[in-house]
Amino acid sequence: MATIKLNSGYDMPQVGFGLWKVDNNVCADTVYKAIKAGYRLFDGACDYGNEVEAGQGVARAIKEGIVKREELFIVSKLWNSFHDGDRVEPIAKKQLADWGLEYFDLYLIHFPVALAYVDPSVRYPPGWHYDGKSTIKRSNASIQETWTAMESLVEKGLTKSIGISNFQGQLIYDLLRYAKIRPATLQIEHHPYLVQPELIKLAKHEGIAVTAYSSFGPLSFLEFNMAHASAITPLLEETTITSLAQKYGKKPSQILLRWATQRGLAVIPKTLREENMKSNLDVTGWDLKQEDIDRISALDRNLRFNQPTNYFSTDDLWIFA
Ligand code: NAD
């Protein structure tokens, strides 16, 4: 299994398994099957609402002796509603209890968006809306306040490494001014329609490993009826990608994932199908020619799908805490 050395000293598997939109009724089984297929990294989050079931899949695999806890790399994320400094540790502990774990390998700030606290007894996961319907209520917590609380999770042994997700360059530079512990990873939307070369260069320069999510681009966002996701050619059918798949004797999905891993990024594809689990894992140890990597990068359209405003209306009521 190819790994990436993090600035925290730990090795992170370069290919992992994403848990977004893995339904509760199949999540435990999916995680268990993915471990059997060879996955060691699981990318979870409070917001995915399936951490209990993901933990059950892990527990089963450990109980059956397929894997040991220390061979796994479990990633989770702090949701927006828990950015206030005093909310970070309690929610991280709840998430660990949900997973049935004593520590995370990596815990990320999911979005640089601070929302007002919603008690887990009221609604969990809280989602974007304060009332679960149409009100967006902001918190005044700064990223510095949240990051300081994230650092204390490392000091208390609740997570080995901490990182960020959906951050852009200016905010990363700001965070690096006060960070006692630098972010180990930056998780971003990254596929040939959204390449973000400058952001990746910045992260590399600062020693922050980059994890690419939604590697198949629009495919993951069709179900949200996003017009720009259905209007563009699906990446798995795009002719540059399909002709390279033919050339290398691989699947289009593997070309997309290898394009990322060969450039040093980690990937976390998600699938419920066992044959795809296997092929998505086989995306290191063989190479694309540089000219072919460049051809894929040239598909860039700066087209972002995972935009917060795609999940709520700008007409929603915004209030400050
Ligand atoms: P993805 O690009 O991994 O998968 C999209 C769809 O592609 C899946 O629903 C699956 O049906 C299909 N697919 C997977 N493998 C395939 C194959 N080999 N052939 C054909 N189809 C295939 O999408 P994703 O779930 O958006 O992203 C992956 C993971 O990244 C998520 O599960 C989550 O863990 C993480 N993520 C993080 C954020 C964030 O804000 N940090 C946002 C989105 C996703």
Side-chain angles (χ1 to χ4, degrees), residues 186-207:
L186 164 68
Q187 188 177 119
I188 51 167
E189 180 177 342
H190 176 80
H191 43 74
Y193 291 150
L194 183 67
V195 182
Q196 311 195 67
E198 293 303 324
L199 181 59
I200 290 172
K201 208 164 131 191
L202 182 160
K204 193 174 176 198
H205 187 253
E206 296 297 337

Side-chain angles (χ1 to χ4, degrees), residues 18-20 43 48 77 110-111 165-166 187 213-216 219-221 236 251 253 268-271 276 279-280 306:
L19 291 171
W20 186 34
D43 183 75
Y48 302 164
K77 309 187 190 85
H110 203 149
F111 282 96
S165 178
N166 299 307
Q187 188 177 119
Y213 72 69
S214 302
S215 298
F216 309 132
L219 186 56
S220 193
F221 301 90
L236 295 175
K251 293 163 69 170
S253 45
I268 43 172
K270 178 215 84 178
T271 178
N276 287 342
S279 63
N280 287 353
N306 199 39

Side-chain angles (χ1 to χ4, degrees), residues 39-53:
Y39 287 86
R40 293 296 175 263
L41 183 149
F42 288 88
D43 183 75
C46 152
D47 191 48
Y48 302 164
N50 56 14
E51 295 195 290
V52 169
E53 293 80 3

Side-chain angles (χ1 to χ4, degrees), residues 10 13 35 39 62 66 87 90 97 108 198 220 253 262 276 291 296-297 303 315:
Y10 296 97
I35 291 173
Y39 287 86
I62 291 176
I66 299 166
R87 302 296 185 187
L108 309 175
E198 293 303 324
S220 193
S253 45
Q262 201 173 320
N276 287 342
E291 69 210 40
I296 301 173
S297 301
L303 199 55
D315 295 334

Side-chain angles (χ1 to χ4, degrees), residues 78-96:
L78 177 80
W79 183 243
N80 307 341
S81 319
F82 307 107
H83 275 221
D84 295 359
D86 58 345
R87 302 296 185 187
V88 174
E89 184 178 327
I91 205 67
K93 282 183 170 164
K94 174 194 164 26
Q95 291 180 258
L96 282 168

